[in-house]
Amino acid sequence: MSFTANRAILPHETAERASTGTAIEGLPEWSLGDFYAGPNDPALAADLASLAEDSRRFEAEYKGTLAERLAAPEGGATLAAALKAYEALEDRAGRIGSYAGLLYATDTTDPVHAKTYGDVSDKLTSLATHLLFFGLELNRIDDAVMAKALGDPAAAHYRPFIEDLRKERPYQLSDDLERLFLDKSASSRTAWTRLFDDTIASLRVEMEGSEGKVTLEEALNKLLDPKEAVRKAASEGIAASLKSEERTFTLITNTLAKDKEVSDRWRGFPDVASSRHLANRVEAEVVDALVSAVTDAYPRLSHRYYAMKAKWFGKDALDTWDRNAPLPEADDRTISWADAKNTVMTSFGGFSPQLAELAGRFFDNPWIDAPVRPGKAPGAFAHPTVPSAHPYVLLNYQGRSRDVMTLAHELGHGVHQILAGPNGALMAPTPLTLAETASVFGEMLTFRQLLAEAPDARTRRVMLASKVEDMLNTVVRQIAFYTFERHVHTERREGELTTERLGQIWMDVSRESLGPSVRLQDGYEAFWAYIPHFINAPFYVYAYAFGDCLVNSLYGVYEREPAGFQEKYFALLSAGGTKHHSELLAPFGLDARDPAFWTTGLSVIEGLIDELAAADSAAG
């Protein structure tokens, strides 16, 4: 067990969702004043001190006595009281950790922010050692004793948490070993992850034709520039920049993969991704079915689409820097923040006034940080913080249509997090496989509205192509990323991987997934190095593909049977982490264990490609 504050803050998709553009006026910046006035606020130190004292008191109260006390006649009341107290400690720690993490994301190069983040992380890890016993002892309690204790109405509220916790029993170590793993995390995984973040933030890219060097985020944005010369310069500059730190990235990757292998071996996980599947509360067979369905569909999806795009560009194959390039006839206007807000809010409101009201809170309050700044965390994310507070959204908004879709995506996350909050700190967090539901659904609502309002066939074609590319990046690319990780972690069990081997694996899975109509130039073999998910949360990436296919199926249900859909949809989001995916999807007549579920989701992408092909035939 660990504090909820230790959850990683990850961008949605760094390069795949980036965009180009100039500075936009009127962009909001968040205020972290709901937590603390600043890193030197005396309240921060006071809260850490009181949390430490209360954590030690909790340990003294319950450690070594749970089994006996739960077996007593008043065991149910004891369990309820202990869980309520533990949950309160989790929430308090989450507030502190969320503040430090969000502050750091604001400017990862600020030494004060970095020190605050590091110091708070160390202290929370130290405090967590006083609470580590709780989950371990709960899992050692006899099933019959636990069942009887959960008969108490107050304790029964926490049944989903207990049931999830007990799924971890086969992989639980002794108290001393668990404490060692926790204590060492600050000087092992956490430290190496921070080194990666700091290295990425400090990278500067030299681009031919550009005045001075730019940040990696700015260079990634240039891969979507309408001018091929700019895209090529960005691609080559990024490759050179990543290669300049390739020894560091290789060392970080090897070290963290070995760290995970040690943990997996001691815990007895049978597969390199087993711990992620357990955390996601999803069966390995379900993930395997998803991966198989997507890889089998590569020729019908990515290979076919990129062949079409190459023809649109008048090339026999797309170059590395062309894959996400806008179409030649694409609208390159800059979308103001006000227009972006109006588009998203209108589409949300068209589905449900409740959805628009919840999303509107982020605009009415300083909960969004949108400008691009040096040192700011790349990409975009929605961080739930804790139920007693509210989520925050980070964007790097630069005024393109993809940025509007990213806004819809992250607001979907934020709405989901608000709705799940009443479940409390222990049960509000949603498994990653379901955490993408509201975000991708929000994107779909926004896209469908924009498509319906398209003024002409040309605009509709551009929008369809853009949506297809987003879906390919969310499904095909993420499964390729998952395949890359599986190769890396499997081979690491036999020894270290060289930079050259990492690049070879990256190129192999990229060629397989992208197909023969994408020509990967020299230098692309280094692009694996900047993907933060590989470092912060191994095997996280398949959740994007899971979520996209799930939403495609959900949206199909909504179009066929709109009556009563909203009620079931909000019930799904409000469940947080209290129900298994099979239970949540059953009201919609969906089952992720059925191979047809994934085929249905992928057919939506294929249908959009069919529509593009039909438009080409009609025009030609």
Side-chain angles (χ1 to χ4, degrees):
M1 298 298 297
S2 62
F3 285 120
T4 52
N6 292 335
R7 289 176 296 183
I9 299 177
L10 287 171
H12 169 49
E13 290 170 76
T14 306
E16 311 304 343
R17 307 287 302 190
S19 64
T20 181
T22 56
I24 311 296
E25 294 183 356
L27 294 178
E29 297 185 31
W30 61 30
S31 169
L32 303 181
D34 288 347
F35 294 114
Y36 300 101
N40 296 319
D41 187 344
L44 175 58
D47 284 352
L48 279 166
S50 66
L51 180 62
E53 180 180 351
D54 291 344
S55 297
R56 288 190 290 267
R57 184 180 297 115
F58 181 88
E59 181 182 32
E61 169 71 14
Y62 291 106
K63 186 175 182 181
T65 69
L66 282 174
E68 179 181 354
R69 294 174 67 176
L70 265 62
E74 66 279 8
T78 298
L79 177 62
L83 286 167
K84 184 176 181 180
Y86 179 74
E87 183 173 48
L89 292 170
E90 281 272 333
D91 193 273
R92 289 165 60 190
R95 292 181 69 94
I96 297 170
S98 294
Y99 170 74
L102 293 170
L103 182 72
Y104 180 61
T106 303
D107 185 356
T108 60
T109 62
D110 187 310
V112 175
H113 293 185
K115 175 176 170 53
T116 301
Y117 178 68
D119 288 349
V120 166
S121 297
D122 287 347
K123 289 176 182 178
L124 289 179
T125 299
S126 178
L127 294 177
T129 61
H130 296 294
L131 304 182
L132 183 64
F133 78 92
F134 188 59
L136 301 176
E137 289 193 22
L138 285 177
N139 270 349
R140 296 192 187 104
I141 292 172
D142 182 78
D143 287 342
V145 172
M146 180 61 75
K148 183 179 179 181
L150 287 173
D152 179 271
H157 167 74
Y158 294 98
R159 182 182 295 276
F161 170 74
I162 294 295
E163 290 177 347
D164 264 359
L165 181 66
R166 289 170 89 79
K167 291 176 183 177
E168 300 175 4
R169 281 196 291 179
Y171 314 105
Q172 183 173 297
L173 303 175
S174 69
D175 289 13
D176 286 345
L177 282 175
E178 292 286 0
R179 189 177 302 110
L180 175 63
F181 270 67
L182 181 60
D183 281 344
K184 291 279 291 179
S185 65
S187 58
S188 55
R189 169 161 290 280
T190 300
W192 287 100
T193 298
R194 182 174 166 187
L195 174 61
F196 172 84
D197 291 339
D198 289 350
T199 304
I200 285 290
S202 62
L203 280 179
R204 293 297 179 267
V205 178
E206 187 171 356
M207 292 175 49
E208 184 178 344
S210 176
E211 295 183 8
K213 296 183 178 182
V214 300
T215 66
L216 179 62
E217 177 76 7
E218 291 171 310
L220 289 167
N221 289 336
K222 295 297 183 183
L223 293 176
L224 286 149
D225 195 278
K227 302 181 183 66
E228 181 175 3
V230 174
R231 299 195 304 271
K232 180 180 179 182
S235 181
E236 293 175 344
I238 291 167
S241 181
L242 293 174
K243 281 179 173 293
S244 72
E245 293 286 352
E246 64 183 1
R247 291 181 60 191
T248 300
F249 291 129
T250 298
L251 177 59
I252 292 171
T253 299
N254 273 292
T255 301
L256 288 177
K258 182 62 177 178
D259 181 85
K260 185 179 184 303
E261 185 274 327
V262 171
S263 177
D264 286 352
R265 175 161 39 86
W266 276 85
R267 296 187 182 281
F269 284 113
D271 181 75
V272 292
S274 292
S275 59
R276 175 59 61 196
H277 299 336
L278 177 64
N280 286 346
R281 300 301 187 253
V282 63
E283 300 77 16
E285 304 79 49
V286 172
V287 179
D288 291 344
L290 164 65
V291 174
S292 178
V294 174
T295 52
D296 288 348
Y298 283 169
R300 307 194 308 273
L301 301 180
S302 49
H303 296 190
R304 182 187 178 201
Y305 174 77
Y306 292 129
M308 293 167 58
K309 187 171 184 178
K311 291 181 179 179
W312 298 339
F313 277 60
K315 294 185 173 185
D316 61 324
L318 298 171
D319 290 302
T320 301
W321 46 81
D322 295 327
R323 186 172 61 83
N324 284 320
L327 299 190
E329 67 270 32
D331 181 5
D332 62 352
R333 68 188 178 92
T334 299
I335 302 171
S336 72
W337 179 253
D339 286 344
K341 172 185 174 181
N342 181 66
T343 296
V344 174
M345 290 295 290
T346 301
S347 66
F348 281 21
F351 172 75
S352 163
Q354 181 184 0
L355 183 62
E357 186 277 323
L358 291 169
R361 297 182 191 180
F362 289 83
F363 296 106
D364 297 338
N365 297 283
W367 298 355
I368 301 176
D369 195 272
V372 177
R373 295 188 301 270
K376 181 178 176 180
F381 64 73
H383 185 51
T385 72
V386 289
S388 65
H390 55 79
Y392 280 89
V393 165
L394 179 141
L395 306 168
N396 281 277
Y397 186 86
Q398 297 193 55
R400 292 294 181 252
S401 59
R402 275 190 171 95
D403 290 323
V404 179
M405 301 302 286
T406 299
L407 174 62
H409 182 102
E410 300 307 338
L411 286 176
H413 274 308
V415 167
H416 193 172
Q417 292 155 3
I418 290 175
L419 288 170
N423 293 297
L426 298 182
M427 295 181 291
T430 304
L432 294 179
T433 43
L434 293 170
E436 295 298 324
T437 304
S439 54
V440 179
F441 197 86
E443 279 192 77
M444 184 65 79
L445 291 172
T446 301
F447 168 72
R448 292 294 183 182
Q449 175 178 312
L450 290 172
L451 192 65
E453 296 174 351
D456 50 49
R458 181 191 65 82
T459 303
R460 181 180 176 85
R461 177 173 175 270
V462 170
M463 291 180 62
L464 284 170
S466 179
K467 183 59 177 176
V468 167
E469 292 186 15
D470 281 348
M471 290 175 132
L472 294 179
N473 286 332
T474 304
V475 177
V476 169
R477 287 287 281 169
Q478 301 309 312
I479 293 304
F481 288 175
Y482 176 72
T483 303
F484 171 80
E485 286 189 278
R486 289 198 62 86
H487 283 300
V488 170
H489 283 266
T490 300
E491 290 192 22
R492 182 63 182 90
R493 293 185 170 189
E494 304 302 322
E496 288 200 6
L497 286 79
T498 63
T499 301
E500 290 72 24
R501 179 56 184 154
L502 289 166
Q504 181 183 7
I505 297 172
W506 175 255
M507 294 294 278
D508 287 345
V509 298
S510 296
R511 290 191 183 100
E512 178 191 23
S513 61
L514 300 176
S517 294
V518 177
R519 185 167 41 226
L520 301 176
Q521 271 77 16
D522 290 344
Y524 189 71
E525 68 275 5
F527 273 56
W528 61 269
Y530 81 88
I531 308 297
H533 304 74
F534 297 161
I535 303 301
N536 290 301
F539 303 108
Y540 180 109
V541 290
Y542 73 73
Y544 291 125
F546 193 113
D548 198 278
C549 289
L550 186 155
V551 166
N552 287 341
S553 297
L554 272 180
Y555 201 87
V557 173
Y558 171 55
E559 289 187 316
R560 293 191 305 271
E561 305 172 22
F565 182 90
Q566 287 88 341
E567 182 179 352
K568 291 186 287 186
Y569 178 71
F570 284 114
L572 183 155
L573 301 185
S574 298
T578 64
K579 295 181 180 180
H580 188 262
H581 64 78
S582 59
E583 188 177 359
L584 290 170
L585 294 178
F588 302 94
L590 301 173
D591 184 356
R593 294 167 296 190
D594 183 354
F597 174 83
W598 303 114
T599 303
T600 299
L602 294 173
S603 68
V604 173
I605 308 175
E606 192 171 2
L608 295 178
I609 297 174
D610 287 342
E611 189 170 344
L612 284 168
D616 278 358
S617 298

